Structure formats: structure tokens, C-alpha cells
């Protein structure tokens, strides 16, 4: 009936229930087919006799604390649907999902579409759509476009997992929202497989947003007696702009999504850009010692440690230490890393197999494939069919043994290619199996922390964040590109879970040369990591990096657990500024980046936000004190070094 500013129950009781828009049925919680329904269906089924329309009778409902369940049954066919709603005392996010149950004992029901929910927005004079688009190395590019009257806008992934091309959330505003002002409505899907979100704007001025797992052309079969539950499709209304919505999403993730929200994420080093596939015990020991000197807390050895994995052409699936590179196994290296005072992490890619591997030669039928069709290789890889119980059990088995037999503290779970030749039922089954393996591993090895990666940011969503501690945001570690990537990521997802690396002086992807200070200041906006050929860094640069790591450790509790304010939009020629404020408003961190000097044009003062106006704040590095009210009304003038790729970090604390 209403999704917007807070109203009391007695006020809601007087609202008219609008169920039609110019003759069309409109505003249903899970619209199906049949009758005067002409928008995108949230439920499309086919019964044994070919009938596709549904007609519901109310059965009952239950309320368990903040969880409401409404049960409906088709008037003729053996199909029930449950509509689920969950609310929290400490969050404005509403979680919704649905469940289908075949109540008969004869023919199966084909389910083409089974969305989690359909959201109905209140009427406004205009609407605008915000979402992120991208590709490998350019994820999370924010886009804002008009929501076309009389049309449907569909965002989707047909690639097996979340993927880079889009991300399963969208925001609608009334066309005039800014970072800190105006109404926004955001819906985000907690699912890491294929997905679809559709926004409909009628000529009558109404908007609905429906979404769920799966995509067009991938039907599911509901057998007699079976029940299938959809993932959560969460919604959030905010009256204080895109920034206000983001802060609410971040806080919701910390309170109700992330498995270890109270922990600060350690400073990690990842060996990928330092040694690539040339991995052995000696060079990993050497680079671990350099990382420890810089203040790294978690050393992660990436690809190339196992089987015949000396390039991307072979070895995936053969998960044992390469005997030539690690003649005594992984234990000596792990012990050395722990002796250096760091935790030890390891890269794995459980869902993939190279045709050139012992596993594939033994089990060629374990991959996704179709009879009488070729097997498409991407990156010389095929996808293992985790929808088959024996394959999923094999994957859990070797991961469980790896963690049980070694003192491993961290797993980077990668997934590097889309699905091809996929039977329709395998899309959902595969993702459910990945979730099950992650859940079982966390239960069996509660000390282990997990990072989600899929060629960078190809598997970032609320579903995987419920099972991992952070995500790898992008394979692109170029600091200028990262400013834009991190801006789009932050619209929904929290800094605490955003892996961000400071890499080599000359970026390995873009070949951009940037100073160490700039590279680190950009990476400090999330969970700081380091990569690159540390032995090739000048000693003075390693020393500067160590000082920056120490500075990050002093501020990371504010960055990772504080409220984010995007004070200026990302730009290449000009200054981008973000700010983090602690929950009690006693600390604030300002990060400002200026990739290119704009000659003849000075930056105006940056007005801070979220501070206590009656408090005084001091910058310990200079001893300068400011009134909170002045910082928010007039602003702060960041001091930059001369030249391009300039940046600064300001840490403010309240003083008596």
C-alpha cells in the first residue's frame, strides 16, 4: 500500500488500495499471468495441461517477530506460494522473498520465472534510474538515466554468476535526488548466480521493480511435493539522497549480512602481481619478508602453487602442492609466514578445471556440457558442474582437507569465466552448491576468513557477502581507474568488504606511473592490500609504504566501520573527496585525490558532513583545530603536493 516516508498504522489504514492503472492490474506483490496483467510477470509457470495463468486464494499468514509470511494457493492447480517479509528494529531495509510448493502428486510444474518480490513505488512527477555497468577491469561504472514512460528496463546476467556487466541492484529516484537530498528507492538481490531485475514505468505514472534469480530461457522444474525458495530481494527507501541510502545499506550489511562485521580487515599482501605464475617456496619467502617489513598482516599466495599449474593452460583441478616448487609441501612456507608475524592465505579456484589436468582426464563428464555439442573453453578452462552432488562433494572434500592439514588463515576463492553449454536446472543448483560449500567450510573452520573473487568484481552481491568477509573489487589496480570503480561499488556495498590494492609504481595493467602516496591513499578507502614486485621497489618507497600502512592502521576502524560521505563526485581533472565518520562522531577521516592539475582553477573548500557541530576537531598532524559547525558550513581546504597524482589524508579527532 505504501513504500515511502514513515507512517503510523492508523494513517496507513486510511490509504486507498490502488490495484489498477488505466485498466491494467497494478501493484501486486508477485504478479503472474492472466487477467488484465500486461507488465513483466514476477511468476510465470506452465501446468501439465499447458495453462500458464494463476489465480490465487488467500490461505493464511503468520507473524514471527519481524518476519511475516503470507500463504496463497491457486484456485485449481496444485501450487502454493509463500510471500515472505522481514524487517529489523535497527534497519530501514525490508527483506522480501517467496517460496513455491507443488502440492500435488502427479505431473511436474515448469517454472519459467519465479521472482523474489515485486516492489511498487509511490506516484511521483518523474523518475530516474541508477545502476552500475561495466566489464572486466572496469566494474561498477555508475549510470543515471531517465526511466522511460511506457517502457520496461531490464538488467540481467545470463553468464552463470553475478558478473561484471551489471550488478543485481537498481535505484529509482524522482529525478531530482542528489548525493544528500531527495527520495530514493533501492532494491538489491542477494544472489550470486544468473539474475534478472525489471523496472516498469506506466504512462499513468506508476513504477514497479521486480527481480529474482534466473534469466529468460532457463526454466526450472518443480516436482510433486517439492518446495523452492527464492533469494532475498531487499528494498530500502531513503529521504536523504543517494548518500543517505548508501549509508543505510552499509550499516545493514554490517548488522545483518557480513559474517564477521566487528573485525577490522587486515592489511594483506597478494603475490599475483609480484610473481605471476613463477611461484616457488624461495621467492615467496623472499617477498613475504619484504611484506612483513612494510607492516603487512596477511600474506596471500596466489595462483601457481599446485599441480602442473605453471601457466593458465594446465593444472586447475589438481589441488596438491607442486612438488618441484614446494618439495616439502606448503607447511615450511606457512610456518615462515607465521614466524614473520603474518597470517597465511591461499588462492583457489574450486569451480574450474583445465582440460589438461588429471581431474579432467579422470572425470570429463563432471563439467557443464550438452550432448552432441562442443565444450567452449574460455581461459583454457571449463566449468565444473557443482549441481551434481558428487562434484560438489569432491570440491568440499579437498578444501576441507587443505584447511584441516595446514594452518591456513585465509582463502581467496576465485571464479574466472562465465557458464556455457549449461542445462537450465544447473544455473540455480550450481550457485546453491557454492553457497553450501562456503557455509560448511565456515562451520568446520571458523578461524578461516574468505575473499570472493571472480576475475575481479564478477561476484559481488549481498548473497556472497553473507558468506565471505570481503570481495576483490577489480583486477584493475590502477589508482585513477579505481576512484571510479570504488565510487560505483560504494553505492550499496560497504568499505569494510572492499578489497583495494596499492600496486607497483608502473601499473601492470594500464602502465600508468603514480607515486606511492597516491596509490596508497586510493587503496585506503577500503580494506587495504598491497601487491607487486616489492623487491623492485626502491628502499625509500618501501619505507614510505610502511609509514602509510601504519597510518592506515590508525584510521581503518573509521574507514571500515564508519559512515561514508561522498563529498565530491569522481573526476580525472579535479579533486575527488570522500569522508568517513565514526559512529560517535568523535573521529573523521578525509581522503582527497587529484589525478591531474587543473591550471588556473583552484579547488574550493570541501564542506564536511556528519560531524558534531558543537564539537572541536583537531588534525594531529598539524595541530590545527576546527569547529565542527565551521567544517560543515564553510569547509576544509585540503593541502596537496605539487603536480599530478596528488592526494592527502586528514584524520580529525575531537578535543575538549
Amino acid at each position: 500500500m505504501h513504500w515511502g516516508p514513515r507512517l503510523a498504522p492508523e494513517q496507513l489504514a486510511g490509504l486507498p488500495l490502488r490495484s489498477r492503472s488505466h485498466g491494467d492490474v497494478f501493484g501486486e506483490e508477485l504478479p503472474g499471468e492472466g487477467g488484465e496483467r500486461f507488465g513483466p510477470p514476477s511468476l510465470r509457470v506452465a501446468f501439465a495441461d499447458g495453462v500458464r495463468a494463476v489465480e490465487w486464494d488467500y490461505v493464511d499468514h503468520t507473524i514471527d517477530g519481524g518476519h511475516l509470511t503470507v500463504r496463497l494457493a491457486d484456485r485449481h492447480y496444485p501450487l502454493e506460494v509463500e510471500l515472505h517479509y522481514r524487517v529489523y528494529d535497527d534497519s530501514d531495509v525490508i527483506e522480501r522473498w517467496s517460496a513455491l510448493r507443488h502440492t500435488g502428486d502427479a505431473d511436474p510444474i515448469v517454472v519459467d520465472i519465479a521472482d523474489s518480490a515485486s516492489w511498487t513505488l509511490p506516484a511521483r512527477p518523474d523518475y530516474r534510474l541508477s545502476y552500475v555497468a561495466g566489464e572486466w577491469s572496469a566494474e561498477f561504472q555508475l549510470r543515471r538515466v531517465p526511466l522511460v514512460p511506457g517502457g520496461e528496463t531490464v538488467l540481467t546476467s545470463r553468464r552463470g554468476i553475478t558478473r561484471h556487466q551489471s550488478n543485481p541492484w537498481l535505484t529509482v529516484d524522482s529525478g531530482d535526488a542528489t548525493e544528500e537530498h531527495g527520495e530514493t528507492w533501492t532494491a538489491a538481490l542477494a544472489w550470486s548466480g544468473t539474475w534478472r531485475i525489471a523496472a516498469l514505468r506506466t504512462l499513468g505514472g506508476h513504477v514497479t521493480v521486480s527481480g529474482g534469480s534466473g534469466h529468460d530461457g532457463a526454466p526450472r522444474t518443480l516436482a510433486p511435493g517439492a518446495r523452492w525458495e527464492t533469494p532475498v530481494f531487499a528494498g530500502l527507501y531513503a529521504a536523504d539522497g543517494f548518500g543517505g541510502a548508501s549509508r543505510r545499506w552499509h550499516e545493514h550489511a554490517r548488522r545483518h549480512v557480513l559474517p564477521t562485521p566487528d573485525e577490522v580487515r587486515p592489511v594483506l599482501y597478494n603475490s599475483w602481481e609480484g610473481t605471476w605464475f613463477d611461484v616457488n617456496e624461495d621467492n615467496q619467502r623472499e617477498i613475504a619478508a619484504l611484506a612483513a617489513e612494510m607492516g603487512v598482516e596477511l600474506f596471500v599466495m596466489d595462483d601457481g602453487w599446485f599441480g602442473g599449474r605453471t601457466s593458465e593452460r594446465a593444472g586447475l583441478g589438481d589441488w596438491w602442492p607442486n612438488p618441484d616448487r614446494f618439495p616439502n609441501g606448503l607447511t615450511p612456507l606457512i610456518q615462515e609466514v607465521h614466524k614473520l608475524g603474518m597470517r597465511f592465505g591461499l588462492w583457489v579456484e574450486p569451480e574450474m578445471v583445465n582440460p589438461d589436468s588429471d581431474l579432467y582426464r579422470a572425470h570429463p563428464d563432471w563439467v557443464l556440457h550438452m550432448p552432441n555439442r562442443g565444450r567452449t573453453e574460455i581461459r583454457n578452462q571449463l566449468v565444473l558442474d557443482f549441481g551434481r552432488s558428487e562434484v560438489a562433494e569432491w570440491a568440499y572434500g579437498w578444501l576441507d582437507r587443505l584447511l584441516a592439514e595446514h594452518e591456513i588463515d585465509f582463502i581467496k576463492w576465485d571464479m574466472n569465466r562465465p557458464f556455457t553449454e549449461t542445462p537450465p536446472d544447473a544455473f540455480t543448483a550450481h550457485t546453491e552448491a557454492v553457497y553450501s560449500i562456503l557455509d560448511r567450510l565456515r562451520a568446520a573452520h571458523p578461524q578461516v576468513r574468505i575473499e570472493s573473487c571472480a576475475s575481479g568484481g564478477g561476484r559481488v552481491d549481498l548473497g556472497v557477502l553473507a558468506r565471505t568477509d570481503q570481495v576483490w573489487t577489480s583486477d584493475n589496480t590502477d589508482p585513477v581507474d579505481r576512484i571510479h570503480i570504488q565510487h560505483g561499488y560504494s553505492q550499496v556495498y560497504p568499505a569494510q568488504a572492499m578489497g583495494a590494492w596499492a600496486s607497483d609504481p608502473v601499473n601492470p595493467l594500464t602502465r600508468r606511473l603514480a607515486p606511492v602516496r597516491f596509490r596508497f591513499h586510493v587503496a585506503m578507502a577500503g580494506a587495504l592490500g598491497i601487491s607487486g614486485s616489492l623487491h623492485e621497489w626502491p628502499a625509500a618507497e618501501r619505507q614510505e609504504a610502511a609509514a602509510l600502512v601504519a597510518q592506515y592502521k590508525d584510521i581503518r576502524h573509521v574507514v571500515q566501520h564508519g559512515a561514508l560521505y561522498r563529498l565530491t563526485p569522481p573526476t580525472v581533472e579535479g579533486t575527488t573527496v570522500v569522508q568517513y565518520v565514526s559512529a560517535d562522531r568523535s573521529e573523521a577521516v578525509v581522503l582527497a585525490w587529484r589525478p591531474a592539475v587543473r591550471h588556473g582553477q583552484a579547488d574550493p573548500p570541501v564542506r564536511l558532513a556528519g560531524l558534531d557541530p558543537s564539537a572541536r576537531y583537531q588534525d594531529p598532524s598539524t595541530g590545527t583545530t576546527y569547529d565542527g559547525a565551521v567544517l560543515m558550513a564553510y569547509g576544509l581546504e585540503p593541502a596537496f603536493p605539487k603536480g599530478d597524482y596528488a592526494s592527502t589524508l586528514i584524520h580529525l579527532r575531537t578535543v575538549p
Side-chain angles (χ1 to χ4, degrees), residues 326-343:
F326 298 91
N328 298 306
L330 298 178
T331 297
L333 176 62
I334 295 173
Q335 291 176 340
E336 177 64 18
V337 168
H338 286 161
K339 183 179 177 182
L340 290 167
M342 298 182 293
R343 286 175 265 180

Side-chain angles (χ1 to χ4, degrees), residues 105-413:
D105 56 6
D107 300 309
I109 299 171
V110 176
V111 181
D112 288 325
I113 296 174
D115 283 345
S116 301
S118 179
W119 296 90
T120 301
L121 276 64
R124 295 292 184 266
D126 201 4
Y127 297 97
R128 179 175 51 177
L129 180 67
S130 298
Y131 64 101
V132 290
E135 57 186 21
W136 174 78
S137 81
E139 299 91 334
F140 302 105
Q141 305 299 304
L142 183 63
R143 298 288 183 264
R144 291 203 166 105
V145 297
L147 192 55
V148 179
E152 299 174 17
T153 301
V154 178
L155 305 177
T156 190
S157 168
R158 302 183 181 91
R159 300 170 186 253
I161 64 170
T162 319
R163 298 306 293 174
H164 312 71
Q165 287 69 25
S166 191
N167 197 264
W169 66 264
L170 58 77
T171 295
V172 177
D173 75 287
S174 53
D176 56 359
T178 64
E179 186 65 22
E180 298 299 332
H181 301 283
E183 294 183 300
T184 65
W185 295 262
T186 305
L189 185 66
W191 182 248
S192 308
T194 63
W195 57 272
R196 167 187 165 276
I197 299 176
L200 169 68
R201 179 182 179 183
T202 71
L203 289 174
H206 297 281
V207 169
T208 60
V209 176
S210 58
S213 62
H215 64 274
D216 294 340
R220 307 172 185 87
T221 301
L222 195 65
R227 181 181 182 274
W228 186 73
E229 189 170 291
T230 70
V232 165
F233 193 30
L236 170 70
Y237 167 80
D240 48 357
F242 301 110
S246 294
R247 288 186 289 277
R248 287 174 174 81
W249 279 114
H250 301 165
E251 193 61 30
H252 179 79
R254 286 191 288 265
R255 291 175 175 171
H256 302 292
V257 179
L258 292 171
T260 58
D262 297 332
E263 296 179 4
V264 294
R265 301 316 188 233
V267 177
L268 67 81
Y269 172 83
N270 183 285
S271 71
W272 176 240
E273 293 179 351
T275 52
W276 307 103
F277 282 110
D278 185 20
V279 174
N280 59 61
E281 184 177 330
D282 290 340
N283 64 26
Q284 296 301 294
R285 283 175 175 265
E286 176 187 1
I287 207 165
L290 294 174
E293 290 177 2
M294 293 169 61
V296 166
E297 299 161 308
L298 168 63
F299 180 85
V300 182
M301 183 166 63
D302 210 279
D303 201 352
W305 60 270
F306 55 92
R309 187 71 167 170
T310 57
S311 74
E312 67 175 22
R313 295 183 175 276
L316 279 176
D318 300 339
W319 297 102
W320 55 83
N322 182 298
D324 296 326
R325 297 180 168 195
F326 298 91
N328 298 306
L330 298 178
T331 297
L333 176 62
I334 295 173
Q335 291 176 340
E336 177 64 18
V337 168
H338 286 161
K339 183 179 177 182
L340 290 167
M342 298 182 293
R343 286 175 265 180
F344 181 83
L346 200 62
W347 178 96
V348 296
E349 192 172 4
E351 298 159 78
M352 296 295 149
V353 64
N354 289 124
D356 185 3
S357 67
D358 291 348
L359 177 69
Y360 186 76
R361 285 184 282 271
H363 300 285
D365 59 321
W366 276 15
V367 300
L368 293 175
H369 67 281
M370 293 180 176
N372 309 311
R373 292 292 178 261
R375 302 183 179 193
T376 302
E377 292 184 30
I378 301 176
R379 293 173 54 107
N380 306 291
Q381 298 174 197
L382 297 169
V383 182
L384 290 167
D385 185 357
F386 274 27
R388 296 178 57 169
S389 59
E390 68 271 29
V391 181
E393 201 57 38
W394 163 85
Y396 174 78
W398 72 258
L399 283 163
D400 179 54
R401 287 193 302 274
L402 181 72
L403 297 178
E405 295 172 3
H406 301 85
E407 294 184 57
I408 295 171
D409 307 290
F410 182 93
I411 287 292
K412 179 177 181 178
W413 181 306

Side-chain angles (χ1 to χ4, degrees), residues 179-180 565-569 577-579 590 606-609:
E179 186 65 22
E180 298 299 332
Y565 293 86
R566 296 181 291 260
L567 300 181
T568 66
V577 186
V578 297
Q579 175 197 349
V590 178
V606 178
R607 297 170 63 186
L608 304 191

Side-chain angles (χ1 to χ4, degrees), residues 527-541:
L528 175 64
I530 303 171
S531 188
S533 303
L534 299 186
H535 57 282
E536 297 180 1
W537 291 23
E541 188 160 304

